[in-house]
């Protein structure tokens, strides 16, 4: 039966139980094994983002309540984590007992039978309250009405900007900016102080890297990957216009080395004061407003995701935790998942590290918490509105045969998106032209589209 044990209260001491938990970076090798006696080792694969690192640092709280469970974390950069976890889960080898995935993988992997159904565990766990998850997040992590992964944090996207630098440059951020206005602002802010770029945008190859902001821009520019009959449109006027705009903006007014910049790199650029604007995931705020790591705390404003032809320009994404169907320790794995994703964990992070560091965007109760409202007054509302307004079934201005905003929810997109992202990144680096990038990308996309045509 699923565990129903709940924690009695907040963390009493972080160090006392730490010996029961081990941490490794990189590949952990073998999967879950007995830890000696009645103990069990859970191998947990996660992405090495700041919020996940906080969870590792607080692992003693879990160990205090589960002294017979050892946690072995495998932490990897986003692109590496995706490839490693996907390969492992598809092979069904039982290497991991808990994995960090997203709303891209959850439904497809549940349909394939690769994930354990978490709903029986959720329903049997007193106080877990899955109805507290924001509805778009909960729906995107469900298959046939049951949740197959649970959100660690949820996000849309918005535009962070330095209010002090805007004042210095004599410019203002529109209430609902267009991308044309943002590009104009980037030009005026570029070099407003020595070493400060006008804007930071991702350029790193990876379907979850550069394509996340690019696809949200594509949707609002009126572009799409395929028409309703799976004809690829990567050389269409709308797609070309988006690619030229994105590449020109980041090449002319973006950060140095933009072709190698992922989320973490832009986070460093912006939080260390080296960019006047940054368009990216709303989850950035946990680090941007953290006085222990950021030099721009309290200096930022947050505008809605820029638009062009639509009224909404953001995306919907969540890092979530799932249990592979091949795990031999599903009950213990659920104990860990429920610890890392429930209300009490969020409160613990807020009390230990400050409310600006809590995993954002997953629970209604977080947005309604007075302490969080005070700490997040500058960004909580645009974050929540971005998530609640997301419509993955209708991402742009024209009908499409797929769902998804920052990605296409088809299995082939991991490879297709990676290939296309490599072409865009090469254009950002100046190695090829935008036309060359799109011509090659069109061929990749049409080969995938043809497979769907045959299935119709």
């Amino acid at each position: 039966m699923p565990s129903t044990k709940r924690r009695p209260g907040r963390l009493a001491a972080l160090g006392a139980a730490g010996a029961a938990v081990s941490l490794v970076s990189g590949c952990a090798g073998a999967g879950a094994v007995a830890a000696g006696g009645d103990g069990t080792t859970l191998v947990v694969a996660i992405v090495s983002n700041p919020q996940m690192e906080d969870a590792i640092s607080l692992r003693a709280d879990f160990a205090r309540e589960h002294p017979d469970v050892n946690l072995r974390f495998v932490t990897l950069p986003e692109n590496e984590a995706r490839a490693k976890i996907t390969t492992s889960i598809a092979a069904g080898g039982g290497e991991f007992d808990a994995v960090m995935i997203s709303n891209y993988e959850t439904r497809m992997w549940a349909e394939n039978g690769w994930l354990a159904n978490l709903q029986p565990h959720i329903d049997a766990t007193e106080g877990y309250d899955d109805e507290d998850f924001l509805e778009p997040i909960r729906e995107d992590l469900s298959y046939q009405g049951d949740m197959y992964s649970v959100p660690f944090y949820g996000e849309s996207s918005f535009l962070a900007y330095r209010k002090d630098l805007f004042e210095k440059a004599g410019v203002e951020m529109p209430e609902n900016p267009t991308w044309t206005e943002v590009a104009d602002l980037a030009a005026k802010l570029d070099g407003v102080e020595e070493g400060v770029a006008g804007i930071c945008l991702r350029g790193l190859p990876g379907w979850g890297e550069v394509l996340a902001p690019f696809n949200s821009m594509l949707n609002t520019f009126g572009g799409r990957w395929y028409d309703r009959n799976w004809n690829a449109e990567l050389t269409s006027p709308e797609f070309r216009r988006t690619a030229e705009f994105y590449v020109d903006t980041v090449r002319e007014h973006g950060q140095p080395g933009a072709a190698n910049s992922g989320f973490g790199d832009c986070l460093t650029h912006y939080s260390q004061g080296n960019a006047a604007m940054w368009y990216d995931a709303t989850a950035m705020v946990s680090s941007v407003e953290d006085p222990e790591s950021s030099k721009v705390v309290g200096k930022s404003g947050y505008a809605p995701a820029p638009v062009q032809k639509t009224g909404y320009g953001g995306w919907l994404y969540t890092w979530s935790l799932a249990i592979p169907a091949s795990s031999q320790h599903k009950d213990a794995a659920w104990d860990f998942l429920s610890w890392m994703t429930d209300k009490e964990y969020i409160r613990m992070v807020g009390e230990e590290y400050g409310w600006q560091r809590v995993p954002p965007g997953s629970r209604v109760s977080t947005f309604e918490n007075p302490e969080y409202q005070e700490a997040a007054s500058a960004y909580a509302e645009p974050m929540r509105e971005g998530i609640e307004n997301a419509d993955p079934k209708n991402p742009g201005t024209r009908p499409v045969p797929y769902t998804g905003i920052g990605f296409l929810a088809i299995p082939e997109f991991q490879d297709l998106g990676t290939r296309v992202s490599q072409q865009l990144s090469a254009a950002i680096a100046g190695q090829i032209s935008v036309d060359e990038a799109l011509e090659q990308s069109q061929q990749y996309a049409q080969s995938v589209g043809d497979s769907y045509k045959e299935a119709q």
Side-chain angles (χ1 to χ4, degrees):
M1 288 292 294
S3 169
T4 59
K5 183 177 179 181
R6 306 304 300 150
R7 294 189 307 287
R10 73 181 293 274
L11 182 62
L14 291 178
V21 187
S22 62
L23 165 66
V24 296
S25 294
C27 181
V33 295
D38 295 328
T40 297
T41 294
L42 297 179
V43 182
V44 182
I46 63 174
V47 177
S48 55
N49 285 353
Q51 290 90 348
M52 291 66 152
E53 292 166 3
D54 283 347
I56 294 172
S57 72
L58 294 170
R59 62 196 184 274
D61 180 59
F62 177 83
R64 180 171 59 86
E65 294 184 35
H66 303 278
D68 58 338
V69 178
N70 296 321
L71 297 177
R72 184 185 302 161
F73 289 96
V74 178
T75 60
L76 293 166
E78 182 171 329
N79 284 345
E80 294 178 39
R82 290 186 190 281
K84 176 68 176 175
I85 292 170
T86 300
T87 300
S88 176
I89 299 301
E95 181 179 3
F96 301 125
D97 295 290
V99 292
M100 182 155 277
I101 58 174
S102 71
N103 48 327
Y104 167 73
E105 294 93 355
T106 298
R107 193 170 297 165
M108 290 187 292
W109 290 10
E111 186 176 5
N112 290 343
W114 295 353
L115 302 177
N117 185 348
L118 300 183
Q119 203 63 48
H121 294 274
I122 291 170
D123 294 343
T125 304
E126 182 181 355
Y128 186 71
D129 193 7
D130 59 315
E131 296 298 325
D132 185 47
F133 294 134
L134 273 72
E135 182 56 31
I137 298 290
R138 192 188 191 289
E139 181 178 346
D140 237 22
L141 299 180
S142 296
Y143 172 65
Q144 296 183 341
D146 290 346
M147 296 193 76
Y148 278 77
S149 69
V150 285
F152 180 57
Y153 69 69
E155 64 183 40
S156 184
S157 53
F158 55 26
L159 183 66
Y161 64 97
R162 288 278 300 280
K163 294 182 293 184
D164 56 330
L165 297 182
F166 269 61
E167 183 177 353
K168 186 173 183 177
V171 296
E172 294 184 2
M173 176 64 72
E175 184 175 346
N176 292 289
T178 66
W179 273 112
T180 302
E181 290 171 329
V182 170
D184 182 59
L185 287 169
K188 294 176 179 177
L189 290 159
D190 197 3
V192 65
E193 288 185 358
E194 186 177 356
V196 175
I199 192 169
C200 201
L201 291 170
R202 302 191 207 184
L204 184 69
W207 71 264
E209 285 287 1
V210 65
L211 284 192
F214 176 83
N215 274 340
S216 68
M217 184 185 288
L218 175 70
N219 294 328
T220 193
F221 268 71
R224 57 186 178 179
W225 283 66
Y226 297 97
D227 68 14
R228 297 179 72 173
N229 296 315
W230 289 102
N231 295 305
E233 293 199 349
L234 278 70
T235 53
S236 67
E238 296 86 357
F239 205 106
R240 188 181 304 276
R241 167 64 175 150
T242 308
E244 290 174 345
F245 186 92
Y246 194 99
V247 170
D248 289 347
T249 299
V250 73
R251 281 181 60 82
E252 294 171 10
H253 307 297
Q255 72 282 10
N260 295 313
S261 294
F263 174 84
D265 301 288
C266 277
L267 174 59
T268 299
H269 278 290
Y270 187 82
S271 64
Q272 298 308 302
N274 297 320
M277 294 184 290
W278 178 26
Y279 172 65
D280 216 300
T282 55
M284 70 168 73
V285 295
S286 297
S287 297
V288 169
E289 300 296 344
D290 178 12
E292 293 187 9
S293 60
S294 175
K295 296 180 180 179
V296 299
V297 174
K299 296 182 179 181
S300 296
Y302 298 91
V307 296
Q308 201 71 8
K309 294 183 178 180
T310 61
Y312 173 80
W315 69 65
L316 178 67
Y317 193 79
T318 175
W319 280 119
S320 61
L321 288 160
I323 301 174
S326 56
S327 171
Q328 300 300 307
H329 305 282
K330 292 184 178 66
D331 285 353
W334 171 249
D335 286 340
F336 171 72
L337 264 62
S338 64
W339 170 79
M340 195 169 161
T341 60
D342 77 352
K343 299 175 186 178
E344 187 64 25
Y345 174 84
I346 292 172
R347 173 167 292 280
M348 179 172 62
V349 174
E351 293 177 350
E352 291 297 329
Y353 293 136
W355 283 92
Q356 77 284 345
R357 289 257 294 264
V358 302
S362 62
R363 288 185 173 272
V364 173
S365 57
T366 302
F367 286 102
E368 295 177 348
N369 184 294
E371 294 166 295
Y372 182 73
Q373 289 177 349
E374 181 178 356
S377 60
Y379 52 82
E381 194 58 29
M383 181 192 302
R384 184 171 182 174
E385 287 180 358
I387 294 171
E388 292 183 337
N389 288 335
D391 186 2
K393 296 178 181 178
N394 298 285
T397 62
R398 295 179 292 165
V400 292
Y402 52 84
T403 62
I405 301 174
F407 55 79
L408 278 61
I410 58 175
E412 296 85 355
F413 193 68
Q414 285 214 38
D415 180 63
L416 171 60
T418 297
R419 289 171 178 264
V420 173
S421 73
Q422 290 167 344
Q423 296 296 313
L424 284 173
S425 183
I428 291 171
Q431 297 169 353
I432 59 175
S433 69
V434 169
D435 283 347
E436 290 171 325
L438 296 186
E439 288 293 338
Q440 184 63 63
S441 297
Q442 173 76 5
Q443 295 179 35
Y444 295 145
Q446 192 57 63
S447 65
V448 172
D450 288 343
S451 69
Y452 280 88
K453 286 183 178 183
E454 293 171 1
Q456 288 178 336

